[in-house]
Amino acid sequence: MGLVKEEDRFAILTDIQGLEDHLGDMDFKVAGTKEGVTALQMDIKVAGVTQEILRQALQQAKEARLFVLSEMDRALSEPRDNLSPMRLACLPSRYRWIRSER
């Protein structure tokens, strides 16, 4: 989600390509499932982001999230039996501070 704001006027952009990251006044990422939001991330470049702006951004994000999830479900409604040979592999790290065991 992105925001373009000028004085009291604003427009909230729904964009999954990331153009609003650099060009907009707010970058707002919302991740989740059909049941709800699981993560939020927001960068604000201007003052004056109101509750109404956030409310509208969350509503647009919900509609976009549900649309994307329904398209994903149409393409692949259940997990495949086999993993792709292109799956990610876990590689050992030589740096202790990167490892999860501390």
Side-chain angles (χ1 to χ4, degrees), residues 14-29:
T14 303
D15 180 11
I16 62 172
Q17 294 180 350
L19 295 175
E20 76 285 353
D21 289 356
H22 301 289
L23 304 175
D25 296 320
M26 176 182 77
D27 175 32
F28 190 43
K29 293 178 176 61

Side-chain angles (χ1 to χ4, degrees), residues 28-41 58 61-70 72:
F28 190 43
K29 293 178 176 61
V30 182
T33 66
K34 293 176 188 173
E35 287 74 38
V37 173
T38 58
L40 297 170
Q41 181 273 325
L58 283 169
K62 178 181 181 180
E63 293 168 8
R65 183 180 75 249
L66 295 177
F67 173 77
V68 169
L69 289 171
S70 70
M72 290 171 60

